[in-house]
Amino acid sequence: METSRSQSFFLDIRSRELSGFKVKKRPYFGEFASDFKESGAVTIEHNCIETPPLAVSFCKTSKNSHIFAVSDEDGCVNLFDSHKKFTSFASNHDNAEKARISEWNAHQNAIFDICWIKEDNNILTASGDQTIKIWDAQENKCIGLLMGHTGSVKSVCSHPTNSDLIVSGSRDGSFNIWDLRCNNSSKSRNSEVCIASSAVVKGAHLSSQAKRIRRGRLLQAASMSITSVLYLKDEVSIATAGAVNSVVKFWDTRNLKAHVTQACPYPQSSVVKERRLHGISSLSQDLNGVFLTASCMDNRIYLYNVLQLEKGPIQSFSGCQIESFYVKSAISPDANHILSGSSDGNAYIWQVNKPQVDPIMLKSHDGEVTAVDWCPSEVGKIATASDDFTVRIWNTQSNCCSSTRSPTSQRRRIMAIPSAECRKLLIDEELMGATKGSDNSYISDESLHQTNSSNPIKMPIVTTPDAQKRKISSISNSTELFEKTPEAALKSPSSVLNPPSSVKRRTIRDYFLVAP
């Protein structure tokens, strides 16, 4: 029974791979670095005092995707409209005044991460004051307070389909899961609804050199901060990364006693030998959840296929400098490109299928480029934040944005029938309708020619292209293919492609190696 379910799941994956994902493709701009231009910049300041931005995020819905939020070191949040036209002679301060939608003081400490939820009506702010706040983005009013961490909250992420579920990671070494539908009815001093976490995992990324006493209680732990968390697209899995090493751990939210599996850029043997491992500053995933990136402090960005975690990273990208945990990266929604900040004052864009090719270098900032984000709906638009107190918006030029047709769309193109024959076909419409069998399958071209033999007309021969035949053949024989080359079912999460419920397994642990 287990074997049949495994084959069913991976058959569904292969069918999707053959048929293609229905994801909006970004245009190819890998060779148009000179045409990737800055469209505007805004200065982040309060009361005429500039402050470094720490996080930037575009709205998630298409109708609001031109709006982006910026949080900063002073605990303020700004909302800007990227559709505003910036003139070349205007200062960044003037641009900010023109594009700003709203501004408010959200925390009395730095805000390290922000996250849009509930159709962009609310925004989460993760702060150094050890709390997460829920804000009404229109009224700029706090409507909830998440309390429970004992260290700065470094990362926050919402569930992919249910934004009432939140995961957060903290410098205290724990990650917490929150359900916004639950509250203990208590109020803070500012009459904010306080929400306690639904689950806590402490010491998720402890140093292997942490000293322990006989009873197993932690006596002393080295750096254990969790730097990034992700709620994966399977809706039940969480990925976490920390400052102590380059290991990404994966957890099943239904059983959090231990991580289910992990991924690392180095061989396991080197981990055992206490090889020095660099921390991870950020994680990101594409729209389908098939790929996951980890920005490592060894100045590389590692790309993982979450269905093949046991194989390690499938690619790595170098060229940027990641000298602080503030430098982030993000994979594009279609998984074609990776965008990263850098300590050298530039931003970099790599083409995923050409990791050896030099990245596009975006030069305008005068300080370390930290947070970055892709606009989810507007093709070729990105945002980069920097210690030079600015956030810059970049766009590909219109002449570079005309993407070529996909092979699928090209196959669907057909030649028009000559007008005389078209009129004849319209006259004989009833006869043509009769050429369908009772099972709705069309009769052969030869039979059709015989039917019209009394009044012959040259009909265009419409056949399936050879490439399409091969594709259909490969799909029909996919069961046999999987029997010959099955995936390692016990080593891969079911998560990532979110197959229909009819082919889902009952527990994600079936797809992971259980940690010892």
Side-chain angles (χ1 to χ4, degrees):
M1 183 66 178
E2 284 297 315
T3 303
S4 63
R5 280 201 295 264
S6 174
Q7 291 176 347
S8 175
F9 170 70
F10 287 106
L11 178 61
D12 179 72
I13 293 177
R14 178 55 62 90
S15 297
R16 292 178 183 221
E17 290 177 348
L18 292 172
S19 302
F21 293 109
K22 296 181 179 179
V23 181
K24 184 178 181 180
K25 290 290 184 180
R26 293 180 181 273
Y28 171 75
F29 56 85
E31 297 179 358
F32 296 106
S34 60
D35 291 318
F36 202 89
K37 301 296 184 181
E38 178 187 335
S39 60
V42 295
T43 298
I44 307 303
E45 59 182 357
H46 311 288
N47 299 322
C48 299
I49 300 176
E50 296 177 330
T51 182
L54 296 181
V56 59
S57 178
F58 283 100
C59 284
K60 304 310 176 187
T61 60
S62 58
K63 66 178 181 178
N64 298 322
S65 62
H66 60 286
I67 298 173
F68 63 96
V70 180
S71 66
D72 60 41
E73 197 173 70
D74 287 345
C76 292
V77 175
N78 281 269
L79 304 185
F80 294 101
D81 184 353
S82 65
H83 279 175
K84 294 295 183 180
K85 302 299 182 182
F86 300 138
T87 57
S88 57
F89 55 83
S91 67
N92 294 338
H93 169 79
D94 292 338
N95 289 339
E97 293 300 318
K98 180 179 181 180
R100 183 180 289 111
I101 299 173
S102 61
E103 173 190 7
W104 70 94
N105 189 8
H107 295 263
Q108 298 301 314
N109 207 319
I111 300 175
F112 295 106
D113 200 9
I114 50 181
C115 179
W116 292 95
I117 61 172
K118 297 188 180 297
E119 300 297 315
D120 301 329
N121 291 314
N122 300 143
I123 189 169
L124 302 172
T125 55
S127 174
D129 64 10
Q130 305 179 7
T131 68
I132 302 167
K133 290 186 178 181
I134 313 166
W135 296 90
D136 184 316
Q138 293 185 348
E139 301 294 333
N140 304 338
K141 177 182 178 182
C142 182
I143 57 176
L145 181 65
L146 311 186
M147 301 179 64
H149 283 297
T150 58
S152 299
V153 186
K154 307 295 288 187
S155 179
V156 63
C157 183
S158 67
H159 188 280
T161 59
N162 182 359
S163 54
D164 282 316
L165 299 177
I166 307 296
V167 60
S168 60
S170 170
R171 191 175 181 181
D172 62 16
S174 70
F175 72 86
N176 291 15
I177 298 175
W178 315 79
D179 190 336
L180 305 187
R181 296 165 295 188
C182 304
N183 65 76
N184 55 12
S185 300
S186 64
K187 300 284 186 178
S188 69
R189 288 179 298 179
N190 298 324
S191 299
E192 300 157 332
V193 176
C194 295
I195 302 174
S197 59
S198 303
V200 180
V201 175
K202 297 181 179 181
H205 287 265
L206 286 177
S207 167
S208 59
Q209 298 177 354
K211 298 179 180 179
R212 298 174 182 274
I213 59 176
R214 290 183 181 179
R215 296 183 180 179
R217 290 179 299 177
L218 188 65
L219 179 63
Q220 180 182 2
S223 176
M224 59 182 181
S225 174
I226 291 182
T227 55
S228 187
V229 293
L230 283 180
Y231 228 128
L232 299 186
K233 302 299 183 182
D234 62 342
E235 305 180 9
V236 294
S237 304
I238 287 173
T240 62
V244 66
N245 56 31
S246 55
V247 174
V248 182
K249 293 185 178 181
F250 296 83
W251 310 77
D252 181 352
T253 56
R254 296 163 296 186
N255 189 343
L256 293 169
K257 292 182 179 179
H259 63 278
V260 193
T261 191
Q262 64 183 36
C264 179
Y266 307 109
Q268 290 295 327
S269 58
S270 60
V271 177
V272 175
K273 294 179 181 179
E274 299 294 339
R275 175 174 175 171
R276 180 173 177 267
L277 298 180
H278 303 271
I280 292 175
S281 64
S282 68
L283 301 173
S284 72
Q285 61 181 332
D286 66 299
L287 186 61
N288 286 314
V290 178
F291 297 103
L292 181 145
T293 64
S295 294
C296 191
M297 296 291 286
D298 64 359
N299 298 323
R300 289 180 175 272
I301 299 172
Y302 295 97
L303 178 69
Y304 294 93
N305 183 329
V306 295
L307 288 175
Q308 301 174 342
L309 293 173
E310 75 285 353
K311 296 182 180 180
I314 58 176
Q315 297 287 1
S316 66
F317 303 84
S318 59
C320 63
Q321 297 177 20
I322 307 175
E323 298 177 356
S324 79
F325 286 103
Y326 295 102
V327 176
K328 315 290 185 180
S329 68
I331 189 170
S332 61
D334 64 1
N336 283 342
H337 299 86
I338 293 175
L339 166 67
S340 176
S342 179
S343 300
D344 63 7
N346 301 315
Y348 294 84
I349 299 176
W350 293 267
Q351 192 174 343
V352 168
N353 62 354
K354 294 182 179 181
Q356 292 78 21
V357 175
D358 290 338
I360 298 173
M361 186 183 300
L362 306 182
K363 301 179 179 180
S364 278
H365 287 291
D366 294 324
E368 182 176 70
V369 180
T370 53
V372 297
D373 195 28
W374 295 88
C375 181
S377 300
E378 296 187 36
V379 174
K381 176 181 283 189
I382 60 175
T384 58
S386 171
D387 284 350
D388 64 5
F389 313 117
T390 67
V391 173
R392 299 179 185 270
I393 304 299
W394 308 77
N395 277 292
T396 52
Q397 297 299 291
S398 58
N399 59 347
C400 302
C401 289
S402 56
S403 59
T404 58
R405 289 180 180 268
S406 65
T408 303
S409 63
Q410 289 177 355
R411 286 194 295 267
R412 289 176 179 172
R413 297 178 64 188
I414 60 173
M415 297 299 295
I417 300 174
S419 58
E421 296 180 5
C422 182
R423 287 194 295 271
K424 180 61 177 177
L425 288 176
L426 291 175
I427 295 173
D428 296 337
E429 182 179 5
E430 183 177 356
L431 178 60
M432 290 297 296
T435 62
K436 268 194 178 184
S438 58
D439 58 351
N440 287 333
S441 60
Y442 286 95
I443 63 175
S444 66
D445 294 333
E446 181 181 357
S447 300
L448 181 62
H449 178 73
Q450 292 175 356
T451 303
N452 291 311
S453 59
S454 59
N455 191 4
I457 180 174
K458 291 184 178 180
M459 291 291 298
I461 299 177
V462 181
T463 61
T464 303
D466 292 339
Q468 187 73 3
K469 289 180 180 178
R470 288 193 298 270
K471 177 178 175 181
I472 295 172
S473 176
S474 63
I475 295 176
S476 62
N477 296 328
S478 57
T479 303
E480 180 183 353
L481 177 62
F482 280 110
E483 291 176 354
K484 293 180 180 179
T485 58
E487 279 285 354
L490 294 178
K491 299 181 181 180
S492 301
S494 68
S495 38
V496 289
L497 296 181
N498 195 22
S501 57
S502 59
V503 296
K504 275 188 178 180
R505 292 199 176 204
R506 289 173 297 178
T507 170
I508 195 171
R509 299 181 69 86
D510 294 335
Y511 294 96
F512 284 109
L513 282 176
V514 178

